[in-house]
Amino acid sequence: MGCCALDLDGRLTYINPAGAELVGAGAASLLGKRPWEVLLWLHDPVFEDRYREAAVSRQPTAFTARRPPDIRLSFQLYLHDSGISVHITPTGGDPSATAAKAAAPSPAGLVGATGLYHLTHLATALAEAVGVQDVVELAADQIVPAFGPEALALLAVDDGRLRITGYRGYSPELMDR
């Protein structure tokens, strides 16, 4: 049986060798990351939502996913005070039934529970912003991981026209134009 632990933000804090072998990745490449962000076959909002379900409901939950080529894995999630323990076991049966899609959509195309979590976290963080650049930095820190943009610009209406009030990720030359 594979075992791993996720912190309350969904990042992997521990995985045993059997768990790493079952998911097909080395522990070093997984630690500190959310599994559904680094394992392409888990990159489906349903898996992220199951994690959030366990975290919010405080009830055990489970799901089955298909790791390519045709390995079905059962994930059982159990909440505790510092995060979620996950048991990973191989299952038999038809790999196409209730299995996840092998080809993952692009990260920018997904808005699951983590996206909503980031927006809620952003609203809380913005309450602490002191100036426009604080707003840009806080917004970028929350929006970029959730939705995947490469740059962000904050605009405001001034005399009926949009004006750039702050940005991150764009060159100053582009913003001047």
Side-chain angles (χ1 to χ4, degrees), residues 104-171:
S106 72
L110 294 177
V111 180
T114 295
L116 297 175
Y117 167 79
H118 281 289
L119 286 176
T120 304
H121 194 282
L122 173 61
T124 304
L126 287 175
E128 300 173 11
V130 177
V132 171
Q133 196 56 40
D134 284 349
V135 170
V136 169
E137 294 302 321
L138 288 167
D141 288 346
Q142 296 301 315
I143 291 172
V144 169
F147 301 106
E150 294 180 15
L152 178 124
L154 182 64
L155 296 99
V157 177
D158 182 21
D159 290 329
R161 298 188 61 161
L162 287 175
R163 304 274 184 218
I164 298 169
T165 57
Y167 62 92
R168 184 165 96 178
Y170 291 110
S171 69

Side-chain angles (χ1 to χ4, degrees), residues 26-100:
S29 68
L30 297 170
L31 292 176
K33 298 179 178 85
R34 294 180 186 98
W36 54 87
E37 292 177 349
V38 293
L39 298 170
L40 293 181
W41 53 273
L42 278 179
H43 200 80
D44 186 311
V46 71
F47 306 128
E48 177 186 345
D49 291 345
R50 289 300 181 139
Y51 163 78
R52 296 287 177 218
E53 175 185 335
V56 172
S57 73
R58 306 190 63 77
Q59 297 296 315
T61 189
F63 64 88
T64 301
R66 182 174 59 89
R67 187 191 108 197
D70 284 322
I71 300 167
R72 283 176 42 117
L73 298 174
S74 171
F75 292 80
Q76 298 171 330
L77 291 74
Y78 303 93
L79 184 74
H80 51 83
D81 290 337
S82 62
I84 293 181
S85 295
V86 182
H87 296 166
I88 308 164
T89 54
T91 63
D94 177 16
S96 63
T98 71

